[in-house]
Amino acid sequence: MRFVVHTPPPPLARFVSQLWYYATPELPHVLERVLPSGAVNLLINIAEDELRWYDDPTAPTGVAAAGGAPSPARCHRLRGIAVCGAHAEHITIDTAEQREIIGAEFTPGGAFPFFGPDVEALGGAHVSLEAIWGREADLVRERVLEAKSPEARLRALESALAVRLLRPRAPPARDPAVDFALAAFADPSRACTVADVTGQLGMSAKRFIRSFTEQVGLTPKRYCRVRRFQQVISAIERGERVSWAGVAAACGYYDQAHFIHDFRAFAGLTPTEYVARRRERNHVRLDG
């Protein structure tokens, strides 16, 4: 397996948190959940001109059908370069179909200069980049495929995004109120609520929610819930033993029932089920 991460330089770094390349030898057909992060991602399948994802299976970490391949009836398909909008639910992929993928993860609100008002429509959706950029989408994929190494492919994608960022464009600059809100929500010492932010901005809740959703792709409340969920996932990843009450308190949930409800909404599993599946998956990888 090869995984390469590249942080772009300014001014692109303000809008794109990372570019990444992933390649792995052939794997068995296993359905795996991708948890919500609240970020918009641009994805390019290098191995084939198609991206696929699946409806939630009843056995998310197991083989989905006889013979190993996921059931075609549950499969959704797009061309090999697409945008995965900010989402607040998990999605399911087949690990065998991720042989060679390159992508760009946008910062919160960072996708707006590249996709304009489409960012809101992208929320919770997968959309072919061709539907937004037209023929330019195919040209970007072609340039990435022509590059001979992972690093060269990352540079090709970085260059395409930089050109798109710097050209004259119709979408206006990001609303400063959204920048203020994102900074407030990211600061754990402030523990700001949506009401706190609108009060500090001196604007109506309706106007703020409208602007935030248009530029981030999630409502402020849902965005904050996803961020809190990601804090929980990070806490789980750091520790061998997990005190659910401690994690719930540290991540701002008012009680354990609230924590479990939110976790199940985003992961489709209870926290205990998630940890058990994670341990099982890691055990299989170590044995393999």
Side-chain angles (χ1 to χ4, degrees), residues 183-230:
F185 294 149
D187 186 349
S189 68
R190 297 170 69 179
C192 286
T193 65
V194 176
D196 293 333
V197 169
T198 54
Q200 292 174 54
L201 288 169
M203 61 193 301
S204 71
K206 183 177 180 179
R207 180 182 160 206
F208 168 68
I209 292 170
R210 173 76 251 165
S211 183
F212 190 97
T213 306
E214 180 183 71
Q215 299 188 36
V216 176
L218 296 171
T219 65
K221 183 176 180 180
R222 181 158 289 194
Y223 173 80
C224 290
R225 287 178 63 204
V226 172
R227 276 193 57 85
R228 188 163 50 190
F229 168 74
Q230 279 296 321

Side-chain angles (χ1 to χ4, degrees), residues 23 51 68 76 99 131 143 152 174 196 230-231 250 255 274 282 284 287:
L51 287 159
H76 305 269
R99 296 190 304 277
R143 291 189 196 106
R174 199 163 64 191
D196 293 333
Q230 279 296 321
Q231 290 171 3
D255 60 30
Y274 172 79
N282 289 343
V284 168
D287 285 353

Side-chain angles (χ1 to χ4, degrees), residues 16-235:
V16 178
S17 59
Q18 64 175 8
L19 303 168
W20 53 268
Y21 169 90
Y22 173 81
T24 186
E26 280 202 28
L27 295 171
H29 288 276
V30 176
L31 295 183
E32 191 170 277
R33 294 177 185 227
V34 178
L35 302 180
S37 67
V40 177
N41 285 270
L42 189 157
L43 304 173
I44 303 174
N45 191 342
I46 294 172
E48 55 182 313
D49 190 11
E50 189 169 84
L51 287 159
R52 297 183 287 277
W53 73 102
Y54 297 84
D55 291 341
D56 189 13
T58 56
T61 58
V63 173
S71 167
R74 293 201 297 260
C75 182
H76 305 269
R77 303 171 187 270
L78 284 175
R79 291 284 306 281
I81 180 166
V83 184
C84 177
H87 57 282
E89 297 81 26
H90 64 275
I91 60 174
T92 305
I93 60 171
D94 179 358
T95 55
E97 296 168 357
Q98 310 297 309
R99 296 190 304 277
E100 194 172 14
I101 300 281
I102 192 169
E105 180 178 297
F106 295 92
T107 61
F112 186 69
F114 301 90
F115 309 118
D118 286 314
V119 168
E120 181 177 2
L122 287 168
H126 298 70
V127 177
S128 169
L129 188 61
E130 185 180 19
I132 305 172
W133 286 4
R135 171 62 180 156
E136 185 180 349
D138 286 333
L139 295 175
V140 170
R141 185 171 183 272
E142 288 170 13
R143 291 189 196 106
V144 169
L145 264 63
E146 286 169 0
K148 302 303 182 185
S149 68
E151 292 77 12
R153 284 175 168 160
L154 289 168
R155 288 194 298 271
L157 180 55
E158 178 186 288
S159 177
L161 292 172
V163 168
R164 186 84 187 184
L165 177 66
L166 296 174
R167 72 169 53 171
R169 59 190 183 275
R174 199 163 64 191
D175 185 344
V178 174
D179 283 337
F180 175 86
L182 289 168
F185 294 149
D187 186 349
S189 68
R190 297 170 69 179
C192 286
T193 65
V194 176
D196 293 333
V197 169
T198 54
Q200 292 174 54
L201 288 169
M203 61 193 301
S204 71
K206 183 177 180 179
R207 180 182 160 206
F208 168 68
I209 292 170
R210 173 76 251 165
S211 183
F212 190 97
T213 306
E214 180 183 71
Q215 299 188 36
V216 176
L218 296 171
T219 65
K221 183 176 180 180
R222 181 158 289 194
Y223 173 80
C224 290
R225 287 178 63 204
V226 172
R227 276 193 57 85
R228 188 163 50 190
F229 168 74
Q230 279 296 321
Q231 290 171 3
V232 172
I233 295 299
S234 296

